[in-house]
Amino acid sequence: MFRRAFWFTAGAAAGVWATTKVNRQLKKLTPESLAAQAADKALEAGHRLKDFALDVKAGMSQREDELNDALGLHQDPDRPDNVTALPGPRRLQAIQNDKTTHSKLSYNRNEDH
């Protein structure tokens, strides 16, 4: 008698557990739930992409500062856009080289076609 009652109770409990489990899975597969899951994944991917972009930007800024220090470049506070400029003598030499280079080269746009 106790044996039958035990197995009946165990079977009923397993049935309730399985039914609850199946109902939870079915609720996860409703269109509203799937849309919410997709939106959450999209937000998570967006946050990861934003963090990656910020890391890249910080790395670029750090590397630019390292290269500016290595090349002896500095920020010119007199320029309104705060553009990196060459030091005095090197800047003049670069400007003179740029003028001589442009005068020697001729560019015909028709040659590209």
Side-chain angles (χ1 to χ4, degrees), residues 28 30-47:
K28 286 182 182 178
T30 61
E32 295 85 12
S33 177
L34 291 175
Q37 288 176 12
D40 289 342
K41 293 290 183 183
L43 284 174
E44 183 180 330
H47 289 302

Side-chain angles (χ1 to χ4, degrees), residues 25-56:
Q25 291 299 324
L26 287 175
K27 285 182 183 178
K28 286 182 182 178
L29 296 176
T30 61
E32 295 85 12
S33 177
L34 291 175
Q37 288 176 12
D40 289 342
K41 293 290 183 183
L43 284 174
E44 183 180 330
H47 289 302
R48 287 183 180 177
L49 188 61
K50 180 182 173 185
D51 291 341
F52 174 73
L54 290 174
D55 289 344
V56 168

Side-chain angles (χ1 to χ4, degrees), residues 35-88:
Q37 288 176 12
D40 289 342
K41 293 290 183 183
L43 284 174
E44 183 180 330
H47 289 302
R48 287 183 180 177
L49 188 61
K50 180 182 173 185
D51 291 341
F52 174 73
L54 290 174
D55 289 344
V56 168
K57 186 176 179 181
M60 285 172 43
S61 178
Q62 179 184 357
R63 183 62 178 150
E64 184 179 2
D65 290 342
E66 290 172 1
L67 290 172
N68 285 340
D69 289 342
L71 295 173
L73 301 175
H74 65 281
Q75 295 288 335
D76 190 358
D78 296 335
R79 299 185 78 158
D81 53 357
N82 209 12
V83 174
T84 303
L86 290 169

